[in-house]
Amino acid sequence: MSIRYAAPAAIVPDTDGQARISFIGTRAFLIEAPGAFDLPNQRRVWALSHALETRPDVAEIVPGMTNLLVILKETPDMPEVVVRDLQEEWRRARSVDLAGREIEIAVTYGGEHADDLPALCDLSGLSDREVVRIHHEGTYRVFALGSAPGFGYLHGLDPRIHMPRKTVPSLHMARGCVTIGGMQTGIAVLTGPNGWNSIGFAELQMFDPLAASPAVMAPGDTVRFRPERIEL
């Protein structure tokens, strides 16, 4: 399930610390945290998710990157009342942290799968070894899962190696590629088109539909990358 959504039909702007609330279709509302794209806002989104999941009118809740999609069981007669209630829930939400696991992932940096490492070096002005060092020395939090089964959006990437997503995606990026997209990093869980930038490869299978817990990552987990090999 995707973390980013189609253009909304209507918007309640974020003013005075209010959340930005968009109508998605007739039964869904996208709540976006105002301010920075950071861990404190994500913790507040997690708190809001817990507060709303027991409401009898809610069919499904999908936490995203500093946003929350709320899908109701029925189309509301007065959506403006729903918006007001959601704003009040946002005002009451307090930061919570998720007791996630610590995950270490072995990575081959460089090599045949690091197609975009030269471009990242050109953009950042760093050498390939500096990019690799900065990436594997980072500590990352899983903010949300989405875009493909088991794909974790990882927050905490050093700004020196931020790189915009490609305007033209790679058509056949391999499952396991370690990637950078904007201010986030992650691991491709499917082979196919991908707009993120690949700098290495991880053998670990991130999603197994037959496993008791199909996804390796979950929101709140802490992730570190361990350089198993460096092929530059």
Side-chain angles (χ1 to χ4, degrees), residues 54-85:
T54 58
R55 283 179 54 139
D57 58 336
V58 173
E60 185 179 1
I61 291 176
V62 184
M65 300 288 290
T66 62
N67 64 49
L68 186 71
L69 182 67
V70 180
I71 305 172
L72 303 182
K73 294 177 180 177
E74 299 179 357
T75 300
D77 294 329
M78 302 178 67
E80 66 276 8
V81 174
V82 176
V83 170
R84 186 181 65 220
D85 289 346

Side-chain angles (χ1 to χ4, degrees), residues 30-231:
L30 181 64
I31 307 170
E32 299 177 89
F37 181 81
D38 57 15
L39 185 56
N41 261 335
Q42 189 67 28
R43 286 172 171 161
R44 197 170 173 189
V45 166
W46 290 336
L48 181 62
S49 176
H50 289 312
L52 295 177
E53 63 187 4
T54 58
R55 283 179 54 139
D57 58 336
V58 173
E60 185 179 1
I61 291 176
V62 184
M65 300 288 290
T66 62
N67 64 49
L68 186 71
L69 182 67
V70 180
I71 305 172
L72 303 182
K73 294 177 180 177
E74 299 179 357
T75 300
D77 294 329
M78 302 178 67
E80 66 276 8
V81 174
V82 176
V83 170
R84 186 181 65 220
D85 289 346
L86 293 176
Q87 282 289 8
E88 183 58 33
E89 291 284 3
W90 172 255
R91 280 191 288 269
R92 286 199 295 261
R94 294 295 178 263
S95 176
V96 300
D97 206 357
L98 300 183
R101 301 178 303 135
E102 293 188 2
I103 302 171
E104 183 178 272
I105 300 173
V107 176
T108 296
Y109 285 100
E112 63 177 313
H113 295 290
D115 295 339
D116 304 300
L117 184 54
L120 176 53
C121 292
D122 289 343
L123 178 68
S124 64
L126 301 168
S127 70
D128 49 8
R129 292 191 179 277
E130 288 175 311
V131 169
V132 168
R133 178 186 58 79
I134 291 168
H135 188 267
H136 78 71
E137 287 182 350
T139 299
Y140 306 95
R141 291 296 300 274
V142 182
F143 269 21
L145 300 183
S147 85
F151 178 78
Y153 288 89
L154 305 184
H155 177 76
L157 186 67
D158 191 299
R160 289 175 291 174
I161 55 172
H162 288 182
M163 186 174 187
R165 301 182 193 187
K166 301 172 185 175
T167 55
V168 179
S170 301
L171 296 181
H172 197 73
M173 185 178 289
R175 176 192 66 80
C177 283
V178 176
T179 58
I180 290 174
M183 63 178 63
Q184 304 161 56
T185 188
I187 300 175
V189 298
L190 299 172
T191 296
N194 195 314
W196 289 39
N197 305 280
S198 183
I199 63 170
F201 185 80
E203 292 283 355
L204 180 64
Q205 184 173 345
M206 303 306 298
F207 183 81
D208 180 359
L210 301 181
S213 299
V216 170
M217 296 182 188
D221 287 348
T222 299
V223 176
R224 296 291 302 270
F225 294 104
R226 174 174 56 83
E228 186 172 57
R229 290 193 305 276
I230 299 178
E231 300 177 0

